[in-house]
Amino acid sequence: MTTFDDRERGYESKFAHDANLRFKADARRNRLLGEWAAGLLGKEGDDARAYALTIVTSDFEEPGYEDVFRKLAADLEGKAGESEIRTKMAELMEVARRQILDETQ
């Protein structure tokens, strides 16, 4: 085995690890968004948790974040505007990343 092979395997491992962390952070962000939106919609308890799950699953419709945004925008019409939703998405992504990183250390 050469040093090049070892280095390549190391990069592949890091890429897989980073992709896994990114997936977890996206899912966490979506759950947090769902909890935030549920509060705006007046949902509590099991209803809020069920709603948050619909936000998590909405991310599987297409690559990227627009599917989540569209779901939230439709559900929160009259309660939150585009800029507020997008700002909250960015804010909660940072929160989710920190939480995931803290859990892995």
Side-chain angles (χ1 to χ4, degrees):
M1 186 100 24
T2 67
T3 302
F4 179 76
D5 291 335
D6 291 341
R7 184 177 295 161
E8 182 178 18
R9 222 174 264 114
Y11 284 126
E12 289 171 357
S13 178
K14 181 178 180 347
F15 179 81
H17 177 73
D18 290 349
N20 185 42
L21 289 178
R22 207 169 23 258
F23 174 80
K24 287 180 179 180
D26 286 346
R28 176 76 54 93
R29 187 256 345 247
N30 293 338
R31 182 181 56 82
L32 294 170
L33 277 169
E35 292 170 355
W36 168 74
L40 293 178
L41 295 169
K43 297 179 183 291
E44 296 178 352
D46 289 341
D47 287 340
R49 283 186 285 283
Y51 179 77
L53 184 59
T54 68
I55 300 301
V56 172
T57 58
S58 73
D59 195 21
F60 300 128
E61 293 175 12
E62 64 186 46
Y65 306 122
E66 287 304 306
D67 45 0
V68 174
F69 172 77
R70 280 194 306 273
K71 166 95 172 114
L72 287 167
D75 292 352
L76 296 176
E77 190 172 341
K79 297 189 185 304
E82 178 180 352
S83 64
E84 183 179 0
I85 294 169
R86 291 194 186 278
T87 299
K88 188 57 82 169
M89 289 176 79
E91 174 188 316
L92 292 178
M93 180 52 104
E94 290 305 312
V95 170
R97 283 183 182 148
R98 273 184 269 127
Q99 288 178 357
I100 295 297
L101 288 175
D102 288 347
E103 290 172 5
T104 60
Q105 294 177 353

